[in-house]
Amino acid sequence: MLENLLGLTGEVALAREEERLTKTRAIEIFDGDLLKELTPGVFSTLAFIHRQLFQDVYDFAGEIRVENISKGSFRFASVMYLPAALEAIDQMPHATFDEIVAKYVEMNIAHPFREGNGRSTRIWLDHVLMNSLGCAVDWSAVDKQDYLLAMERSPVRDLEIRMLLQEHLTEGVPSRATFMKGLDASYRYEGYNTFRAEDLR
């Protein structure tokens, strides 16, 4: 269990408060248009998103991790090479949908934070899509298992995740209602489903 700013020592209690607090912060990002002036597709913007989401929960909010992490048998980028990997991702183009997804996959492989990578990076992806293509992913329409399997296979071949996300793009900038439903779906991918976003504000 991760040390946290809330002084919680139980995993269930921490998960509950983390969901409530970070969802509330995500809504602030949307309602306050906090990403409007930030550069799309770069790590500094992702770090801002992560810091905004997790500032109430972890002291490492927005900070690059200093430990190696893995999920199942997959090891994310080594801390030794993480700064160089993030610089390389910053330089990747993101003018087309395929380029954007390729960049998203590489950021997922980097997994720059100790916790909260998926939730932060999906907001980051939508910021890139909105700035480059004028749309976003309707996450509420993306099946959890389809998404998790496609992401698991994406380091080898990103065709599956590209097709899945392209099928569920919004027409134009998403409405607040679409964002709220998508936020709940994004959290369900990670096992967080206690609070509905619409009940938090």
Side-chain angles (χ1 to χ4, degrees):
M1 153 146 199
L2 294 173
E3 290 187 11
N4 58 85
L5 299 174
L6 306 172
L8 297 173
T9 57
E11 291 186 2
V12 173
L14 176 58
R16 178 183 174 87
E17 284 305 288
E18 181 180 319
E19 179 184 358
R20 182 180 67 83
L21 291 167
T22 60
K23 273 188 176 178
T24 300
R25 291 296 191 179
I27 295 165
E28 289 177 359
I29 290 175
F30 184 87
D31 286 346
D33 202 10
L34 300 186
L35 306 183
K36 182 178 181 180
E37 303 300 327
L38 299 184
T39 303
V42 296
F43 173 71
S44 61
T45 296
L46 178 59
F48 175 89
I49 293 167
H50 190 271
R51 188 177 306 109
Q52 177 70 17
L53 293 183
F54 292 94
Q55 61 184 295
D56 306 304
V57 186
Y58 299 119
D59 62 4
F60 57 76
E63 301 296 326
I64 298 175
R65 59 182 165 86
V66 294
E67 56 278 289
N68 290 319
I69 59 174
S70 61
K71 187 172 185 178
S73 60
F74 185 80
R75 287 177 61 95
F76 296 107
S78 167
V79 294
M80 182 183 302
Y81 305 111
L82 188 51
L86 294 173
E87 287 182 15
I89 293 168
D90 278 1
Q91 299 305 314
M92 291 176 67
H94 52 263
T96 69
F97 179 76
D98 287 358
E99 289 175 348
I100 292 168
V101 174
K103 195 163 195 167
Y104 174 59
V105 167
E106 289 302 314
M107 189 61 83
N108 180 64
I109 294 170
H111 240 60
F113 310 112
R114 178 67 184 85
E115 174 66 22
N117 289 278
R119 286 165 282 171
S120 302
T121 310
R122 283 187 286 275
I123 292 173
W124 179 81
L125 170 63
D126 280 339
H127 182 242
V128 182
L129 285 167
M130 283 187 279
N131 279 272
S132 295
L133 304 178
C135 63
V137 178
D138 180 358
W139 295 105
S140 67
V142 180
D143 179 78
K144 174 180 177 177
Q145 292 305 318
D146 288 346
Y147 170 79
L148 293 177
L149 287 172
M151 287 303 293
E152 183 179 326
R153 292 191 273 259
S154 66
V156 176
R157 190 163 185 253
D158 68 8
L159 176 62
E160 190 174 350
I161 190 65
R162 276 193 285 120
M163 292 181 66
L164 179 65
L165 297 184
Q166 190 163 35
E167 184 180 349
H168 298 295
L169 294 176
T170 62
E171 294 183 3
V173 176
S175 66
R176 190 176 192 273
T178 299
F179 170 80
M180 300 286 264
K181 289 189 297 181
L183 183 62
D184 287 337
S186 175
Y187 273 64
R188 280 195 298 273
Y189 299 155
E190 316 294 338
Y192 296 90
N193 56 8
T194 301
F195 299 96
R196 293 190 310 168
E198 66 180 34
D199 295 331
L200 294 174
R201 290 295 295 268

